[in-house]
Amino acid sequence: MNLITSYISNFISRKGSYVFLATIFARIFSFLAAWFALKLIPNKELGEVLFAYNIIIFILPISGLGLHQSFIRYGALLKTTEEKNSLFLYVFKKGFWVSLLLIAIISVSAFFIDFQFSNTKTYLILLSFIIIPSFLLEIIKAQLRLSHNNKSFAYTEIAQSIILLITVIILSYYFAEFGYAIALLLSPLLTALLFINKININFKLKTKLPITDATFWKYGFFASLSNVVTQLLFVIDILLIGYLLADTEMVTNYRYISLIPFSLLFLPRVFIATDFVAFTEKIYDNMYIKKYMKSYMLLFLIVSIFLMLLSYFFGEFILKLLDEKFVEYSTTFFILMVGISGIFMFRGLYGNLLSSIGKAHINYYIATIALLLNIVSNYYLIPKYGIRGAAITSALLMWFTGIASYVWFLYLYKKLPLK
């Protein structure tokens, strides 16, 4: 128990409690923003905006070719504030132009695609401009984390969600769906402008760093691709259920049954977001990393056992709170809970440790293999077992990706010049 007590104490001392609460409040405010949009905008027009926005959400991880990912990892290894500030400026300048190019590609491509909805093209072009302020906000967050200012990092999360809520209410009320699209664009922009002075960057610095080579760019590119493929892993089940069962009701059932398990994945993300810079700074300290691994895994082993027991004995009650018709899928619910335990204990930690040692491409390869296995497995299991088959596939692959990350990290970590 001393390991867990010490781990949680260190997490709190790094302002992890702020990150935890900020994440919860951000989700609440984001939900309220979506609810108000639903009430203020007709479903058809709102759907057109959301369709375009979902395309942009899928592309966002590769904004700036993932340089914000490179920044947080390589910045943690730099020793001086001046070096970190210089890296920020490099990433900001290069990432801005790359993001602008990405916007141009999206805008031009939109003219050659025959979209199902008439206004999708317009909203896709408009919402593509979210890429630049979102990228800027990501590197501001990274700079705050590199400065060990997790408290301000947490405030960016809350501020963005509050700004989103306020702008959605006001702009949707006066300008309907167009106002909603503008609100989506303004929330990261206004948040970035609000916090840019918090990072104390001297924009006149021109120090060239030797780390900004092809390896630096490659890391960010594969880290961002890994995020895109991981997103696909959570979407592909829904798509295949709809395609293979040709039953929209089953799609809805799986969507809501998986809502609670997948929502709980924010827990390991909160700990990793708080600690990533800290353990990357000490990645070559073998004793520190081993202790961190043991502490993290012990904590999330207990959390996983608790959640699995809860879902096993009270699954029907929990599902009944959503809708009585979901009770018959309590086994599917339990299977998904078993699956997320694999992410809790393995993938959440070792995927990030692989990134910490500069092996983001391994995460991409693991996620890509998992995506292919997902398609093959679901083609067999969904027709045979329905949405339970999709849950079995997801659970197995969550454990597969977690254990694969664990094995790869242990193998590669031994090759580093450890202290």
Side-chain angles (χ1 to χ4, degrees):
M1 288 301 293
N2 286 338
L3 271 178
I4 295 178
T5 304
S6 174
Y7 180 70
I8 293 175
S9 176
N10 290 332
F11 172 76
I12 293 171
S13 70
R14 287 192 281 268
K15 308 301 180 184
S17 55
Y18 284 87
V19 180
F20 179 80
L21 290 173
T23 303
I24 292 174
F25 280 117
R27 284 170 177 263
I28 293 170
F29 289 133
S30 295
F31 170 79
L32 288 173
W35 185 81
F36 274 106
L38 190 62
K39 296 299 179 183
L40 294 169
I41 304 168
N43 282 3
K44 180 179 179 296
E45 286 75 10
L46 179 60
E48 290 179 342
V49 179
L50 290 175
F51 182 78
Y53 184 56
N54 282 330
I55 295 173
I56 298 301
I57 287 292
F58 183 72
I59 296 171
L60 269 184
I62 58 173
S63 61
L65 276 187
L67 284 178
H68 57 290
Q69 303 272 9
S70 300
F71 177 47
I72 189 72
R73 189 264 167 175
Y74 284 86
L77 299 176
L78 295 174
K79 302 300 181 185
T80 68
T81 301
E82 184 179 332
E83 286 177 319
K84 292 178 182 181
N85 289 353
S86 297
L87 188 61
F88 175 92
L89 291 175
Y90 175 85
V91 168
F92 171 67
K93 291 172 184 176
K94 299 296 183 183
F96 174 82
W97 291 111
V98 172
S99 296
L100 199 60
L101 177 61
L102 186 57
I103 291 170
I105 292 170
I106 293 169
S107 300
V108 171
S109 300
F111 285 99
F112 296 96
I113 300 173
D114 184 21
F115 291 105
Q116 182 181 359
F117 307 114
S118 58
N119 292 319
T120 298
K121 187 182 300 181
T122 303
Y123 289 124
L124 185 62
I125 294 171
L126 174 63
L127 292 171
S128 69
F129 284 89
I130 292 175
I131 289 171
I132 290 177
S134 292
F135 175 76
L136 175 59
L137 183 57
E138 284 301 320
I139 60 174
I140 289 172
K141 288 178 181 178
Q143 181 72 5
L144 291 170
R145 290 166 66 191
L146 288 171
S147 304
H148 299 283
N149 191 354
N150 282 325
K151 190 174 180 180
S152 291
F153 164 67
Y155 288 156
T156 63
E157 297 285 333
I158 296 176
Q160 184 178 6
S161 58
I162 292 174
I163 290 170
L164 177 65
L165 177 60
I166 293 170
T167 53
V168 163
I169 294 172
I170 295 172
L171 295 177
S172 296
Y173 180 80
Y174 286 105
F175 305 104
E177 68 274 9
F178 181 75
Y180 179 61
I182 296 297
L184 293 172
L185 178 60
L186 284 177
S187 61
L189 176 61
L190 294 178
T191 309
L193 294 175
L194 188 64
F195 283 88
I196 196 163
N197 290 329
K198 299 281 186 183
I199 58 176
N200 299 317
I201 295 291
N202 178 3
F203 283 88
K204 294 179 181 178
L205 277 175
K206 292 185 178 178
T207 307
K208 182 169 175 59
L209 299 169
I211 62 171
T212 53
D213 54 11
T215 304
F216 181 83
W217 284 77
K218 177 185 174 184
Y219 174 91
F221 179 67
F222 277 105
S224 60
L225 277 185
S226 175
N227 286 339
V228 171
V229 177
T230 301
Q231 281 185 16
L232 267 178
L233 273 171
F234 288 105
V235 172
I236 198 72
D237 287 351
I238 296 288
L239 296 176
L240 289 175
I241 288 169
Y243 175 71
L244 295 172
L245 297 181
D247 187 341
T248 54
E249 188 176 343
M250 287 296 106
V251 171
T252 303
N253 290 343
Y254 188 78
R255 174 77 176 176
Y256 280 94
I257 290 162
S258 63
L259 187 64
I260 293 174
F262 290 163
S263 294
L264 290 170
L265 292 176
F266 86 94
L267 286 171
R269 289 172 191 157
V270 166
F271 280 83
I272 295 301
T274 302
D275 294 343
F276 184 84
V277 170
F279 64 63
T280 301
E281 288 175 342
K282 298 180 180 180
I283 195 64
Y284 297 108
D285 185 338
N286 190 32
M287 293 299 293
Y288 178 88
I289 295 299
K290 281 187 175 179
K291 183 180 178 182
Y292 187 90
M293 287 159 52
K294 288 178 182 177
S295 303
Y296 175 97
M297 291 190 73
L298 184 57
L299 172 64
F300 278 97
L301 172 63
I302 293 170
V303 172
S304 297
I305 291 172
F306 171 75
L307 290 174
M308 282 190 285
L309 289 174
L310 186 70
S311 62
Y312 183 80
F313 290 106
F314 300 100
E316 291 186 3
F317 173 76
I318 294 168
L319 291 173
K320 192 181 289 185
L321 294 176
L322 295 175
D323 195 304
E324 190 137 358
K325 69 178 182 180
F326 295 145
V327 171
E328 64 178 292
Y329 301 110
S330 58
T331 303
T332 301
F333 180 71
F334 174 70
I335 290 168
L336 288 171
M337 281 295 197
V338 172
I340 66 166
S341 300
I343 293 182
F344 276 18
M345 290 189 287
F346 290 97
R347 178 68 170 168
L349 173 61
Y350 293 101
N352 281 281
L353 283 173
L354 280 170
S355 295
S356 186
I357 62 173
K359 302 299 180 183
H361 60 286
I362 300 295
N363 283 325
Y364 168 70
Y365 297 148
I366 291 171
T368 302
I369 292 169
L371 181 63
L372 295 174
L373 289 173
N374 187 308
I375 295 169
V376 173
S377 176
N378 272 327
Y379 258 89
Y380 171 74
L381 293 177
I382 290 176
K384 190 170 183 178
Y385 299 107
I387 63 173
R388 186 184 297 184
I392 292 169
T393 296
S394 287
L396 289 174
L397 289 177
M398 283 188 265
W399 278 93
F400 165 76
T401 55
I403 293 172
S405 300
Y406 169 72
V407 171
W408 267 107
F409 174 74
L410 292 185
Y411 172 72
L412 295 169
Y413 192 61
K414 291 176 183 177
K415 296 187 174 185
L416 297 181
L418 304 176
K419 294 178 184 178

